[in-house]
């Protein structure tokens, strides 16, 4: 029997034609997928370092799901700062290096957020079915890949009607962080005219906090990095439209008259600035703390400046300020039901047009997309001002 005849016989057994087999790699992958096996591609790293130096693209197969396992196809996955820090090895929690993907050396898959579509479910799965959208219940899932297999207990089903994949895929970290920080440390009283102040106000968390603050009737001061000319004015107008009461630059915050300005804005100091949200650190954070009212809280959830914050003794002794920290990953692990409730409420707001997405820059990921394009996009998130959050958007995979 000729090689062509043997190939034709094998293809008849698997249900594929020779014509189909001669088409693209994608079609051949789909032929295998019909019988329960799915080819996947994952960005991986086998050592810590800069993304451009350590990321590679690995192809592997997923067997048919059994019991309560799910086979998922990734629809959208954001590129968050924490993801980059994990690749660099500087984040407090690091994915373990394992041999689960069959790589020559133990490897890890970066990425903590995504929206997935259920391709197949094991016979014991009851919470989702084929075609449903799901998101990760916890961080550390490793989402920068075309497909993956997880137990149904690791994901949360979301109602996909009225949503885009990127909206569902970015809801679990930034909006939840903003929501919990505004709710869990002080009780802001809108009727009393309470204020909060935040730096990094153009970030995903910052934009979410502005919108939630407006929704809950709280005034706020949004601090952003200095931007030249019209670019700075455009950003100021944009954040004011979202709900920021005042928008100022870091230079303004560091000026000697900033405390007087805040006193003027707060009705001569009769309205209290009871909460500060800090993701920058360093001198800008210390300057922000100076405008807080006695007994206020400053919650730190990031340190983009990589500089320590100095706290004058007077802030502790005479103003009784409280300095807290917040890590959404740890909070989510301890409060899964509350996270699910927050995610559901934010998604409802998005469907109703009451919550605007953070601007994004789409990074297309097709089956044929190479490692260089993906790694360059990841590395680019570290460079200067960006037009929006990078998001892998998966096409024909």
């Amino acid at each position: 029997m000729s090689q062509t005849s043997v190939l034709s016989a094998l293809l008849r057994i698997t249900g594929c034609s020779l014509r189909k087999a001669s088409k693209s790699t994608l079609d051949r992958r789909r032929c295998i997928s019909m019988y329960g096996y799915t080819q996947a591609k994952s960005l991986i790293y086998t050592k810590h370092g800069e993304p451009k130096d350590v990321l590679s693209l690995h192809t592997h197969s997923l067997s048919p799901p059994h019991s309560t396992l799910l086979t998922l196809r990734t629809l959208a996955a954001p590129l968050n700062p924490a993801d980059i820090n994990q690749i660099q090895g500087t984040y407090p929690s690091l994915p373990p290096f394992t041999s689960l993907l069959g790589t020559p050396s133990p490897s890890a898959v970066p990425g903590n957020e995504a929206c997935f579509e259920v391709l197949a479910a094991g016979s014991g799965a009851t919470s989702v079915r084929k075609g449903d959208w799901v998101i990760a219940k916890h961080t550390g899932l490793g989402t920068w890949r075309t497909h993956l297999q997880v137990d149904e207990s690791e994901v949360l089903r979301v109602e996909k009607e009225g949503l885009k994949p990127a909206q569902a895929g970015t809801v679990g970290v930034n909006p939840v962080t903003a929501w919990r920080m505004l709710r869990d440390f002080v009780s802001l009283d809108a009727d009393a005219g309470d204020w909060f102040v935040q730096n990094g106000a153009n970030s995903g968390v910052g934009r979410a906090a502005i919108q939630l603050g407006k929704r809950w009737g709280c005034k706020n001061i949004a601090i952003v990095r200095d931007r030249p000319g019209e670019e700075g004015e455009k950003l100021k107008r944009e954040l004011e439209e979202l709900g920021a009461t005042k928008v100022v630059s870091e230079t303004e915050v560091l000026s000697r008259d900033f405390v007087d300005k805040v006193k003027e804005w707060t009705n001569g100091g009769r309205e209290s600035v009871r909460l500060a949200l800090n993701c920058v650190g360093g001198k800008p954070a210390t300057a922000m703390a100076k405008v807080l009212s006695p007994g206020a809280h400053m919650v730190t959830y990031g340190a983009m400046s990589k500089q320590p914050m100095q706290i004058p003794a007077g802030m502790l002794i005479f103003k009784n300020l409280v300095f807290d920290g917040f890590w959404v990953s740890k909070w989510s692990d301890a409060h899964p039901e509350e996270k699910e409730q927050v995610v559901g409420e934010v998604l409802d707001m998005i469907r109703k047009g009451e919550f605007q997405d953070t601007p994004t820059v789409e990074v297309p990921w097709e089956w044929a997309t190479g490692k260089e394009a993906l790694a360059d996009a990841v590395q680019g998130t570290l460079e200067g001002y960006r037009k929006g959050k990078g998001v892998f958007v998966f096409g024909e995979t």
Side-chain angles (χ1 to χ4, degrees), residues 186-237:
V186 299
S187 297
L188 294 172
D189 187 344
D191 293 334
D194 285 351
W195 291 64
F196 70 91
V197 58
Q198 63 167 332
N199 53 31
N202 188 38
S203 66
V205 173
R207 287 170 172 264
I210 288 172
Q211 295 180 77
L212 293 173
K214 179 182 180 181
R215 183 180 184 86
W216 297 331
C218 299
K219 303 173 186 177
N220 65 91
I221 302 168
I223 303 169
V224 296
R225 288 187 294 177
D226 293 73
R227 299 192 179 209
E230 178 55 30
E231 185 179 357
E233 290 301 314
K234 180 180 178 181
L235 177 60
K236 180 179 180 180
R237 291 193 296 270

Side-chain angles (χ1 to χ4, degrees), residues 280-340:
V280 176
K283 292 181 179 179
T286 304
M288 182 171 66
K290 291 179 180 179
V291 305
L292 291 174
S293 302
H297 285 241
M298 173 178 280
V299 185
T300 294
Y301 66 99
M304 291 191 298
S305 71
K306 298 182 179 180
Q307 298 296 318
M309 182 176 64
Q310 296 183 349
I311 304 173
M315 290 186 180
L316 302 173
I317 300 171
F318 305 117
K319 297 186 72 176
N320 195 30
L321 298 186
V322 181
F323 293 84
D324 306 281
F326 182 78
W327 187 14
V328 71
S329 299
K330 186 175 182 180
W331 180 88
S332 298
D333 290 343
H335 305 87
E337 293 84 7
E338 290 180 66
K339 177 182 178 179
E340 182 175 350

Side-chain angles (χ1 to χ4, degrees), residues 98-396:
T98 73
S99 299
L100 294 176
L101 298 185
T103 50
S105 300
S107 62
V109 179
N112 289 284
E113 279 191 290
C115 174
F116 308 99
E117 178 187 16
V118 178
L119 284 187
S123 59
T126 58
S127 60
V128 297
R129 60 184 180 181
K130 183 179 178 179
D132 283 348
W133 283 10
V134 296
I135 62 174
K137 277 190 178 180
H138 309 286
T139 55
L141 190 60
T143 59
W144 294 0
R145 42 183 156 184
T146 61
H147 303 78
L148 71 161
Q149 199 167 83
V150 300
D151 190 86
E152 68 173 336
S153 63
E154 297 182 58
V155 295
L156 171 66
R157 181 184 178 275
V158 297
E159 178 55 58
K160 60 186 176 182
E161 183 178 355
L163 296 176
K164 300 175 183 177
Q167 292 172 326
T170 57
V171 73
V173 173
N174 290 337
V176 174
T177 298
W179 188 299
R180 297 321 321 174
M181 290 193 300
L182 289 175
R183 288 299 203 199
D184 290 351
F185 295 91
V186 299
S187 297
L188 294 172
D189 187 344
D191 293 334
D194 285 351
W195 291 64
F196 70 91
V197 58
Q198 63 167 332
N199 53 31
N202 188 38
S203 66
V205 173
R207 287 170 172 264
I210 288 172
Q211 295 180 77
L212 293 173
K214 179 182 180 181
R215 183 180 184 86
W216 297 331
C218 299
K219 303 173 186 177
N220 65 91
I221 302 168
I223 303 169
V224 296
R225 288 187 294 177
D226 293 73
R227 299 192 179 209
E230 178 55 30
E231 185 179 357
E233 290 301 314
K234 180 180 178 181
L235 177 60
K236 180 179 180 180
R237 291 193 296 270
E238 187 176 340
L239 297 184
E240 287 174 342
E241 289 173 1
L242 284 180
T245 311
K246 299 290 181 180
V247 181
V248 295
S249 67
E250 285 187 353
T251 296
E252 291 177 85
V253 174
L254 292 168
S255 66
R256 293 185 175 183
D257 63 345
F258 183 63
V259 172
D260 293 332
K261 286 183 179 179
V262 173
K263 185 176 181 179
E264 178 183 342
W265 297 338
T266 57
N267 193 21
R270 287 183 286 274
E271 297 171 349
S272 298
V273 183
R274 301 193 58 218
L275 179 67
L277 310 180
N278 169 44
C279 67
V280 176
K283 292 181 179 179
T286 304
M288 182 171 66
K290 291 179 180 179
V291 305
L292 291 174
S293 302
H297 285 241
M298 173 178 280
V299 185
T300 294
Y301 66 99
M304 291 191 298
S305 71
K306 298 182 179 180
Q307 298 296 318
M309 182 176 64
Q310 296 183 349
I311 304 173
M315 290 186 180
L316 302 173
I317 300 171
F318 305 117
K319 297 186 72 176
N320 195 30
L321 298 186
V322 181
F323 293 84
D324 306 281
F326 182 78
W327 187 14
V328 71
S329 299
K330 186 175 182 180
W331 180 88
S332 298
D333 290 343
H335 305 87
E337 293 84 7
E338 290 180 66
K339 177 182 178 179
E340 182 175 350
Q341 179 183 356
V342 173
V343 165
E345 292 195 40
V346 173
L347 291 179
D348 283 343
M349 290 164 57
I350 292 174
R351 293 187 188 95
K352 296 174 183 177
E354 298 172 354
F355 189 93
Q356 293 188 29
D357 309 338
T358 298
T360 59
V361 176
E362 294 188 357
V363 180
W365 187 334
E366 307 287 340
W367 184 254
T369 303
K371 170 258 179 181
E372 290 77 13
L374 301 175
D376 286 347
V378 176
Q379 190 69 34
T381 63
L382 301 173
E383 300 170 1
Y385 295 118
R386 292 173 290 155
K387 294 181 179 179
K389 174 188 288 291
V391 178
F392 287 129
V393 176
F394 295 78
E396 294 295 326

Side-chain angles (χ1 to χ4, degrees), residues 69-96:
L69 290 178
L70 309 173
T71 298
L72 309 178
R73 182 173 81 91
T74 315
L75 301 178
L79 286 63
N80 290 317
D83 304 328
I84 312 300
N85 295 153
Q86 287 182 326
I87 297 171
Q88 295 168 327
T90 59
Y91 201 66
S93 65
L94 301 174

